[in-house]
Amino acid sequence: MKRIVGLYLGAVLAASVRAAELPEVSEEALYELGSTYGAPQLQGFVFIEGRYLPPPYTVTRKGNAIFINRIQVEQPVPWGRGVASADGAPGTAAAAAPAAKKSVDADGDFEEVAPAAAPAPAAEPVPAAEPAPAAEPAKPKAVKSIDDLFDDEEPAAPAAPAPQAAPAAGPAAAALPAAAAGGGAQERSSEEVKRDKEALVAHLDRIRKGYEQSLARGDMFFFGQRHNRVNGNYGTARTLMGVLPKALRNAQSPQDLLQRLNAGGVYFIDLGICAELYRNKMTFPQLEERLAKIEQNEALDAQRRKAATAW
């Protein structure tokens, strides 16, 4: 019975890990927003889902997501129906196809983008061989096929232009934005869309640059999808690194790890993060190696300061 319960809890945990994964960057987002690559940083401390990543760290923006060493850590702005291309379409060449497609990210916000909305139903044409009552031509009827829209016997309504007659505005003009397809959003000019996209790219690049500058100062980051981001300056990171390698080596459970960290003066790591660290227990040699380098650099700095005061 205990084995069955253990297997069940393991399956639940695995499902929660999959559910917590960030959605992949869509091709549309990557095409529309491009990428920005940073310079490698030798300082700082990065933990992703409880696993320590040794430096150097390269912070990259791809589309609407932030990556550290090719691992996605954040999507500050989800790619959804509110983001459109410069020509008003939700994507690029993939959006130009009239068939419905996935145009948003993979976190369940996908919406099928249908072709341009059909015009309002026209009045049913009256057959010539069978006279109808006088009031019958004005009776509306639902359009059952595309032939109903182009029947030569019925004059075209002036307020219902045919979809294929719309002028092409760009490479993706054959598809309308997801919001516009529903008829509830006002059309925006290409200049407005372009301006909004440039502002979005600038906002995402500022976030990327902020991570890069923080790591250059020696800051610490814990990224995880089941907890809020935890970060601190170098002083906080140094306190953690002085305790974590040995504590992780000797811990027998997440609770034991938490107690060992608290005993060493580390109180900003909760039990949830301790559980993630414990799942990656075998990374303690990398942490011990990093601590040895830190202590070596500190000893060299102390010698330089001592030599400088001797002069």
Side-chain angles (χ1 to χ4, degrees), residues 26-47:
S26 68
E27 294 182 2
E28 291 87 351
L30 187 59
Y31 181 92
E32 293 292 343
L33 304 180
S35 301
T36 303
Y37 298 90
Q41 302 299 319
L42 298 177
Q43 306 301 319
F45 306 84
V46 174
F47 297 79

Side-chain angles (χ1 to χ4, degrees), residues 35-101:
S35 301
T36 303
Y37 298 90
Q41 302 299 319
L42 298 177
Q43 306 301 319
F45 306 84
V46 174
F47 297 79
I48 300 178
E49 304 294 346
R51 183 177 183 85
Y52 168 69
L53 267 67
Y57 303 116
T58 302
V59 187
T60 303
R61 179 190 63 79
K62 295 182 180 180
N64 59 318
I66 306 298
F67 290 75
I68 296 180
N69 292 4
R70 297 185 294 180
I71 301 175
Q72 185 180 181
V73 296
E74 185 181 2
Q75 277 198 24
V77 180
W79 185 257
R81 67 177 63 183
V83 183
S85 65
D87 53 22
T92 57
K101 65 175 296 293

Side-chain angles (χ1 to χ4, degrees), residues 218-287:
D219 291 357
M220 168 197 66
F221 290 94
F222 279 83
F223 296 99
Q225 299 308 305
R226 288 165 296 279
H227 61 78
N228 293 331
R229 186 192 68 200
V230 175
N231 62 283
N233 57 24
Y234 177 78
T236 304
R238 180 62 182 88
T239 300
L240 175 66
M241 291 300 296
V243 181
L244 180 60
K246 184 177 180 180
L248 192 58
R249 172 191 280 270
N250 298 322
Q252 300 301 314
S253 67
Q255 292 80 3
D256 185 21
L257 177 59
L258 180 62
Q259 293 176 0
R260 292 174 184 272
L261 291 178
N262 290 344
V266 177
Y267 299 99
F268 55 86
I269 301 297
D270 61 15
L271 183 59
I273 296 180
C274 283
E276 293 182 342
L277 289 168
Y278 189 77
R279 282 198 296 270
N280 296 278
K281 179 181 174 67
M282 298 312 296
T283 60
F284 71 83
Q286 293 178 316
L287 293 167

Side-chain angles (χ1 to χ4, degrees), residues 200-214:
L200 175 58
V201 169
H203 171 69
L204 293 169
D205 281 342
R206 282 194 298 269
I207 295 176
R208 188 212 65 80
K209 188 66 175 179
Y211 281 127
E212 186 173 84
Q213 293 174 340
S214 295

Side-chain angles (χ1 to χ4, degrees), residues 167-181:
L176 293 175

Side-chain angles (χ1 to χ4, degrees), residues 112-194:
E112 299 291 342
V113 179
E124 182 182 7
V126 180
E130 186 176 342
E136 186 64 23
K139 181 179 179 180
K141 181 179 179 181
V143 176
K144 297 181 179 179
S145 69
I146 195 66
D147 295 330
D148 294 338
L149 298 177
F150 303 101
D151 196 325
D152 294 334
E153 298 184 12
E154 180 66 17
Q164 68 271 25
L176 293 175
Q186 295 182 352
E187 294 183 0
R188 298 187 302 160
S189 68
S190 60
E191 289 298 325
E192 290 175 323
V193 174
K194 180 181 178 182

